[in-house]
Amino acid sequence: MRYGWNLDPERWHDLERTISKYKWTRAYLERDFATSVPEESGIYVICASTSNIVANNNRLLKQAYNAIYAGQSTNLRRRFGSHVRGYGEVKRAKNTFGQLDFWFSTIEKPFLSDVEQLFIDTFGPPANEKNVKVHIGNPIPAGRILRENK
């Protein structure tokens, strides 16, 4: 399973072309910001910055920023609330980085899975448990497998 940014420039161009069609908004992943998130379907990306955990004045670490989790929801506000309450790897990220950003855009339901997968394939967010898309081929009859293995 690959984690981290994709190194294929075409993947980044695909992502840029896709997300430029939508309006993106940031809310801090805190209860007080729930009303700024609509109750519509959409895609969201939770991002973290190291600026809250860096003890000294290291410029590089203070500016590091990355996607921690990418997801989709038929109700962004409800999903926002579940992440605020915290569970799994996003909860661990919140404990590590403190404040997290919740970037979101309303997107029609038929496009949710494709756009979400594009984010996962491009960013490789570490809190996504499944960040690999699997394709299963046509089944092979058991008799054929037995004959080929003799």
Side-chain angles (χ1 to χ4, degrees):
M1 187 176 294
R2 184 192 62 78
Y3 290 108
W5 287 5
N6 192 309
L7 301 179
D8 178 5
E10 191 55 39
R11 177 65 62 189
W12 288 93
H13 295 303
D14 290 346
L15 180 66
E16 200 279 325
R17 280 190 299 271
T18 300
I19 68 173
S20 65
K21 300 173 190 173
Y22 304 102
K23 179 182 182 244
W24 292 88
T25 305
R26 180 179 73 172
Y28 295 122
L29 193 58
E30 302 291 338
R31 182 172 286 116
D32 294 344
F33 294 88
T35 57
S36 67
V37 179
E39 295 178 321
E40 297 174 48
S41 64
I43 297 293
Y44 63 93
V45 181
I46 297 173
C47 298
S49 169
T50 58
S51 63
N52 294 330
I53 63 172
V54 176
N56 60 33
N57 202 19
N58 185 304
R59 282 182 36 199
L60 172 61
L61 291 180
K62 281 193 170 289
Q63 294 186 33
Y65 189 75
N66 202 355
I68 298 299
Y69 184 85
Q72 63 170 289
S73 179
T74 56
N75 184 321
L76 285 167
R77 186 178 299 169
R78 185 173 54 233
R79 189 69 167 126
F80 178 88
S82 68
H83 282 302
V84 166
R85 287 186 296 283
Y87 63 92
E89 293 297 298
V90 174
K91 183 176 182 176
R92 285 187 60 209
K94 193 167 184 147
N95 290 339
T96 300
F97 299 105
Q99 183 175 306
L100 298 177
D101 293 337
F102 185 90
W103 285 93
F104 64 91
S105 182
T106 58
I107 295 176
E108 303 83 13
K109 289 178 188 178
F111 304 108
L112 291 176
S113 292
D114 288 340
V115 177
E116 176 194 31
Q117 192 62 50
L118 186 56
F119 271 107
I120 291 169
D121 291 345
T122 307
F123 285 114
N128 281 82
E129 292 181 18
K130 299 175 185 171
N131 83 356
V132 174
K133 196 172 193 175
V134 177
H135 297 280
I136 299 174
N138 294 327
I140 300 171
R144 183 174 143 202
I145 293 172
L146 294 172
R147 284 191 303 274
E148 289 175 359
N149 288 331
K150 284 186 177 181

